[in-house]
Every structure is written in structure tokens, then in C-alpha cells.
Amino acid sequence: MNYRLKKTLRILTFAIILLGIWEGLFALHLWPVWLFPAPAAVGKTLLRGFSDGSIPVAILVSIRRLLIGFFISIVIGTLLGLFLAKNKTAEDTLHPFILGLQTLPSICWLPLALLWFGLNERAILFVIVMGTVLSITISVKGAISHIPRSYLKAGKMLGAHGFLLYRHILFPAILPSYIHAMRHGWSFAWRSLMSGEMLFVTAGLGQLLMLGRELNDLSRVMAIMAVIIFIGFLFDQTIFAKLEKNLKLRWGV
Amino acid sequence: MTLPSSTTLRIQHISKQYGRSSGHALVALEDISCEVSAGEWVCLVGPSGCGKSTLLHIIASLDRSTSGSIEVHGSIGFMFQEPTLFPWLNVQENVGFGLRMQKVDANVISQKTDTYLKMVGLSEYKPAYPHQLSGGMKQRAALARMLILDPDILLMDEPFGSLDTQTKEQLHEDLERIWRETKKTIVFVTHDVYEAVRLGDIIHVFSSHPGRIKTTIPVDLPRPRSSTEERFLRLAQQVRNELDNEPHDRV
């Protein structure tokens, strides 16, 4: 049996045991059904949500917001990080300010966003961007500042000046940190989005989750939670973890 | 092309100070003057902190002098103490990097890369990434990466400083052969007395605090030199004596 198959089997066994414990606890009737639903009930709600289209639509709405917010954050964060790394005055003044702002949980931007933009799509995008852009800025700035000077010197001696130095030395040198920053930024964006969606009502997974609460339907709450976890895990593992692993293999770090 | 006897590098009254404004100026280099002829191999020896490496950086315009002037006739290649191969490129791409910056045709780059990898004995490691190479192999690749641009003057900053003796000796032999074949001018910084006597036509011994050329010792031994010969050992002792009169690095 090869290693991969063995690993998959182990994970499957673990999942089955977890479900077994859950089912066992349910069978003991320690708590009322509406507070502690059976795994089968959650599964059924999940299936119903997919077949009536409510979950797929919510997923699409949420991911669309996430992608737009993430893209804006990447562009602004990268440019701002570059600026901070290359401008001494900005590094001394703006950088500590950004470090301070970054400590603010992204959902704290929501009241401000609602007053500025109203109850609409732009408010939620603003919350995503504010929750993501600063972390990307700080990472990009750090990555550029920590490029070994020897790479830059070697690049210059080999004729990489101006734009060429950026394109062929600076960018590839920060790429591992950059991907790490994106991975981090992505999880920040995902969290910000969910908090935003839960607090004011528009389509999306966060709202579906709150709807479950309002209907006192715990199986619905758990089903949506499972979807949210699964999507977060999927993006993190299939895109960012893979990119990071490939780079690490090549760099030998 | 410059004539073999002509001056390739003229260094005049170079000084370098750090922290001029604070009053506690650290004088790294003081009034360095010397000339290097085309095809000559010059070694700069001195205790660490004597500014020999700084001088090399100033010649390459990687650093600025406080005063003095440098005339360079020809192009410069620089080899660093650490291999500084780019970890995101494989050996072939690292060696071809300089030509790629000059927008040379890909086929030409590929051919030239093969030639220079062969010259340094790394033909079989074309697809390898830097982390897969030993220290000596990394420096061979860095050497090829510099040589492929065909610079007139090679500035080498303790390039073999971190290698074991055996690897070092092999690289000395290879570098000497390449130098003979390509007729490059070399300025070679080292703190290893044996390395300097093994390789240099002329040795400038530096003193530190402030960095100055203390003595210049010509090495008129036939090549390749063996460190077991009596004359070799005598010369090495002479260089060592000059260094020993130096106060060692003070904290």
C-alpha cells in the first residue's frame, strides 16, 4: 500500500470515528434535538440546500465578493508595500501607522463603512479590503526589506538595472514571502467577509448562517458552517499550500 | 583590446570614511594608490576590517569613496564571498542571467552557457538548483556566471573563503588555467596568506585602522606553485610577518 493511500485511509477513519462520536452523543439524548442535531439531519439540510440552489447561490455571491476584495487588496497592498520599502520617509512615518491600524479587527470598520457607503455591496468590499490590505502591505514591505543585499548587488553586477532589477531580482526574490502574504491575506479576507455578511443582510454564506439562527434551525447553522470551513480549507490547501510547496522544493528551503 | 603592458586599473588616493558627521569618523581606507596592468593578477591581503573588500566594492561602483579617483579601462566582473546564485533559477539560468539582461538571443545564450559550464566543470549540473550544489560547485557556477559576460577585469572578494582546503586547491588550479587561457586581469581579495602567494603576481599587504597598503610584495615564482616549495614558504612567511606586526582586530 503506498503512503498516499494509507494517509487518505487514516483521515477517512478519523472522520468516521468523529461522526460516530457525534452520533453516539446524539443517541444518548443529553440535549434537546433543536440544540444538538444528529449528523444525518445536518447532512439532509446540506443536501436540501444544494438541491434548492440556496447554498450554491450563496457560495457564488460570497466568493465573488471575496475575489473582488482580495484583488483590490493585492494591488493596493503590493504598491503600498513597495512604496514603504523604497521610501525612507514613508517607512519612518506611514509604516508604524499602518502597523497600528492593522491591530484593529476588520469588523470594526463596518460602522464606518455603513455610514460612508450605506447598506450595500461597497460597504462589504470596504470591510474586506480594510481587513486584508494592511496585512499584505506589511508582508510585502517586510519581504522587500529582507531581500539579501547580495542578490541585489549580484544582479547589478550582471547588468540588471532599473526595471530589470525589479522584474528579474526583486520580484522573484520576494515570491515565497509574497505567496505566503497572499495566503495570509486570503484568510483575512475570508474572515472579514463572513463577519460582514453576518452583520448586515444581503445574499451570501454569512447571511445564510444568520438565517439559520433566526429560524432556530441548528442543523442549518451547522450545515452552513461546514460549507464555510470546506471553502476556506479548499482554497488554502489547493491553491496557496501547493504554490508554497512547489516554490519551497525549488528553493530548497 | 588593451596592450598587455598597459594599465587597466588606476587607483589614486582613495579614502573611505564612515559616519563623517558624528565626529567619530571611522576611517576604513586611507589614501590607497596602486596600478594594475592588463593580464596581471593582484592579491590584496589583510586582516579582516582592513577595508580590502570595501576597496573592491568601490572599484565596482557598488560603494562610494569619500575622496580619490579610480580609472577603469575595460568591463568589470564581480565575484562575491557568498556564491549569491539566485535560488529561483537553475544553474543554466543563473549562468545565462547576464546575457539575458542584455537581451541576447536565446540560442546564443544556450550555446555560451554550455561553453562556460564546461569550462568550470559543471556541464552535468545544468538543471540543478543552487541548494542542490556543494559550496565548491556553487562558486564554480558563480564563476561561470561572471565569465560568460567576458569582463576584462575580475574582482574577486574572498570567493573561496568558506571552502575546505581540498576544494579550494582544485579551484585555484582551475582558476589559474582559466586566467591563463582568457588573459583576464584579476584583483583578488583574501585573508589567506597561502592563497595569495599561490595565486598572485603581486601581493598588496593591507594594514588596518585605518586601511592602508602597507607593503607590496611581488611573487616571482613559476606557476603552478606548490606550497611545499622552500621559496613559496619563505614568501608566505614574509607576508605573514608583515601581517603579524599588525594589531589584530580590536573590538
Side-chain angles (χ1 to χ4, degrees):
Chain A
M1 213 185 302
N2 68 38
Y3 175 72
R4 248 211 156 112
L5 190 65
K6 229 175 181 167
K7 206 172 149 189
T8 313
L9 271 178
R10 249 164 57 193
I11 291 171
L12 269 176
T13 319
F14 178 69
I16 289 168
I17 291 174
L18 269 187
L19 280 173
I21 292 174
W22 182 0
E23 183 70 51
L25 279 173
F26 177 76
L28 289 173
H29 291 295
L30 293 172
W31 303 281
V33 183
W34 61 87
L35 287 185
F36 196 79
V42 174
K44 229 179 272 171
T45 314
L46 206 54
L47 280 180
R48 185 151 27 87
F50 272 99
S51 60
D52 70 12
S54 62
I55 291 180
V57 168
I59 290 177
L60 285 179
V61 168
S62 291
I63 285 185
R64 182 172 164 272
R65 284 176 183 150
L66 186 66
L67 286 175
I68 297 173
F70 185 62
F71 181 74
I72 296 173
S73 304
I74 289 276
V75 173
I76 298 177
T78 305
L79 292 176
L80 206 55
L82 202 65
F83 176 64
L84 285 182
K86 290 287 161 193
N87 186 305
K88 187 79 185 86
T89 315
E91 190 183 358
D92 290 341
T93 55
L94 194 57
H95 190 230
F97 179 68
I98 287 180
L99 283 173
L101 271 189
Q102 162 67 7
T103 60
L104 187 70
S106 60
I107 200 61
C108 298
W109 288 100
L110 188 69
L112 191 136
L114 290 178
L115 289 174
W116 275 0
F117 303 106
L119 271 170
N120 59 31
E121 203 68 20
R122 279 192 299 173
I124 197 134
L125 280 180
F126 181 77
V127 172
I128 299 177
V129 171
M130 288 321 290
T132 313
V133 75
L134 300 177
S135 117
I136 291 178
T137 303
I138 292 163
S139 307
V140 168
K141 193 263 161 199
I144 295 175
S145 300
H146 286 115
I147 296 177
R149 290 185 55 76
S150 55
Y151 290 158
L152 299 174
K153 279 188 189 170
K156 280 181 194 161
M157 286 318 300
L158 295 167
H161 298 283
F163 174 72
L164 287 177
L165 193 68
Y166 277 78
R167 162 77 187 79
H168 293 286
I169 304 288
L170 195 124
F171 182 69
I174 66 162
L175 196 57
S177 316
Y178 195 55
I179 288 175
H180 192 75
M182 290 214 278
R183 186 177 183 178
H184 224 70
W186 179 269
S187 80
F188 272 120
W190 185 232
R191 279 151 216 244
S192 310
L193 173 66
M194 285 305 121
S195 350
E197 281 186 350
M198 279 171 70
L199 283 180
F200 76 99
V201 180
T202 50
L205 283 167
Q207 192 231 332
L208 223 51
L209 191 60
M210 278 317 259
L211 197 66
R213 189 201 83 102
E214 276 150 28
L215 297 174
N216 257 335
D217 183 355
L218 202 64
S219 69
R220 192 187 186 107
V221 169
M222 286 178 132
I224 303 298
M225 281 171 74
V227 172
I228 294 173
I229 291 170
F230 181 73
I231 290 177
F233 182 78
L234 193 73
F235 275 101
D236 189 66
Q237 291 300 309
T238 53
I239 301 177
F240 296 112
K242 273 228 173 88
L243 281 173
E244 268 194 286
K245 199 177 151 197
N246 286 343
L247 264 183
K248 277 185 179 164
L249 273 180
R250 196 200 290 183
W251 283 54
V253 287
Chain B
M1 282 301 281
T2 39
L3 292 168
S5 61
S6 69
T7 306
T8 286
L9 193 60
R10 180 176 285 126
I11 298 164
Q12 284 176 305
H13 309 295
I14 286 290
S15 293
K16 170 81 178 171
Q17 299 179 8
Y18 291 104
R20 262 173 296 170
S21 51
S22 65
H24 293 282
L26 173 71
V27 183
L29 289 170
E30 192 178 76
D31 198 21
I32 305 281
S33 294
C34 67
E35 290 187 358
V36 182
S37 310
E40 196 173 36
W41 192 329
V42 175
C43 286
L44 312 181
V45 190
S48 60
C50 72
K52 54 197 194 300
S53 177
T54 307
L55 180 63
L56 217 57
H57 280 72
I58 292 173
I59 298 172
S61 309
L62 287 171
D63 202 342
R64 263 184 230 149
S65 61
T66 314
S67 62
S69 70
I70 287 181
E71 256 178 75
V72 181
H73 301 281
S75 53
I76 280 177
F78 201 104
M79 204 166 148
F80 298 87
Q81 190 167 1
E82 331 87 80
T84 68
L85 293 178
F86 304 130
W88 55 90
L89 301 176
N90 66 24
V91 169
Q92 186 180 22
E93 292 159 341
N94 260 293
V95 174
F97 185 87
L99 292 176
R100 210 169 133 223
M101 290 305 103
Q102 298 174 0
K103 310 254 186 302
V104 174
D105 180 70
N107 290 324
V108 179
I109 294 181
S110 167
Q111 276 172 19
K112 279 204 158 185
T113 308
D114 286 350
T115 311
Y116 281 89
L117 280 174
K118 197 173 164 204
M119 190 187 276
V120 299
L122 278 182
S123 295
E124 286 153 42
Y125 293 91
K126 261 160 67 170
Y129 280 89
H131 72 98
Q132 295 165 314
L133 304 180
S134 67
M137 277 160 28
K138 279 182 195 160
Q139 282 302 28
R140 283 170 188 276
L143 183 62
R145 186 174 69 168
M146 169 178 70
L147 289 172
I148 200 169
L149 294 174
D150 200 22
D152 303 307
I153 306 163
L154 311 184
L155 303 178
M156 306 181 84
D157 187 6
E158 299 195 39
F160 310 138
S162 56
L163 304 178
D164 60 85
T165 316
Q166 215 182 335
T167 313
K168 217 178 194 178
E169 279 169 5
Q170 185 60 51
L171 274 158
H172 288 162
E173 254 174 56
D174 290 347
L175 184 59
E176 192 171 52
R177 169 180 55 81
I178 290 166
W179 172 71
R180 217 172 28 237
E181 285 166 4
T182 58
K183 303 186 170 57
K184 303 287 183 197
T185 307
I186 301 183
V187 182
F188 192 102
V189 164
T190 179
H191 61 260
D192 178 345
V193 171
Y194 284 96
E195 189 168 47
V197 180
R198 166 76 183 83
L199 297 173
D201 292 327
I202 288 179
I203 301 174
H204 293 302
V205 181
F206 275 61
S207 65
S208 58
H209 311 296
R212 254 190 296 227
I213 295 182
K214 190 181 182 193
T215 345
T216 296
I217 301 172
V219 186
D220 50 1
L221 301 177
R223 291 171 188 273
R225 299 166 188 156
S226 157
S227 58
T228 49
E229 274 174 44
E230 208 200 314
R231 288 168 65 201
F232 185 104
L233 291 169
R234 253 206 320 268
L235 255 171
Q237 194 52 50
Q238 193 189 338
V239 176
R240 190 173 295 279
N241 287 341
E242 293 290 345
L243 285 173
D244 280 346
N245 294 334
E246 261 313 293
H248 285 287
D249 228 9
R250 286 164 302 191
V251 184

